[in-house]
Amino acid sequence: MSTTTLPDTFRDLEPHVAEWALPTRQERYDVRLSKDIAELERFYDAVAPHAEAAIDHLNGFDLADLPEPETRLLRLLYSLIMVSYPVNIFRQPRIPDSGAAFFDTTAEPAV
């Protein structure tokens, strides 16, 4: 029995699944806030080079009927998006000059 949780092509990303392939935006945002910028950069640098191939792979599936490995891959991409601004623009996990502002998600997109 395999312990792979992602499609075979993306097995290099397995170390990030447990922490980053989370089902809700709020969970992904909470992880982002719990990390320092170096940890966010490591995740970003590991996943970003695979993003285009991951999108191409996922385009071959119906979003409403994704198999579990593809769902996890999609969630990793969601997390990549979640950390892209802190890594590339803010240079910190929180939005600068936002004080105690935070997001409360009241509904998640259907996936």
Side-chain angles (χ1 to χ4, degrees), residues 11-109:
R11 75 181 78 158
D12 291 351
L13 302 178
E14 287 291 333
H16 305 287
V17 169
E19 192 164 36
W20 288 102
L22 301 171
T24 68
R25 194 217 51 82
Q26 187 64 52
E27 289 172 290
R28 293 185 292 274
Y29 187 69
D30 291 344
V31 170
R32 176 180 120 182
L33 294 181
S34 76
K35 303 294 181 190
D36 63 34
I37 192 65
E39 292 170 303
L40 297 181
E41 287 171 342
R42 278 191 295 277
F43 171 72
Y44 182 89
D45 290 345
V47 177
H50 299 276
E52 189 173 337
I55 291 166
D56 288 344
H57 176 79
L58 292 170
N59 280 339
F61 294 87
D62 180 353
L63 187 60
D65 194 29
L66 282 179
E68 282 301 312
E70 280 71 21
T71 298
R72 288 184 200 95
L73 181 61
L74 179 62
R75 290 174 179 167
L76 281 180
L77 291 178
Y78 288 162
S79 289
L80 176 67
I81 293 164
M82 181 68 68
V83 304
S84 66
Y85 270 82
V87 168
N88 294 311
I89 310 265
F90 307 151
R91 302 298 305 141
Q92 63 183 6
R94 292 190 173 276
I95 301 170
D97 303 319
S98 63
F102 59 90
F103 292 106
D104 277 328
T105 303
T106 57
E108 286 289 328

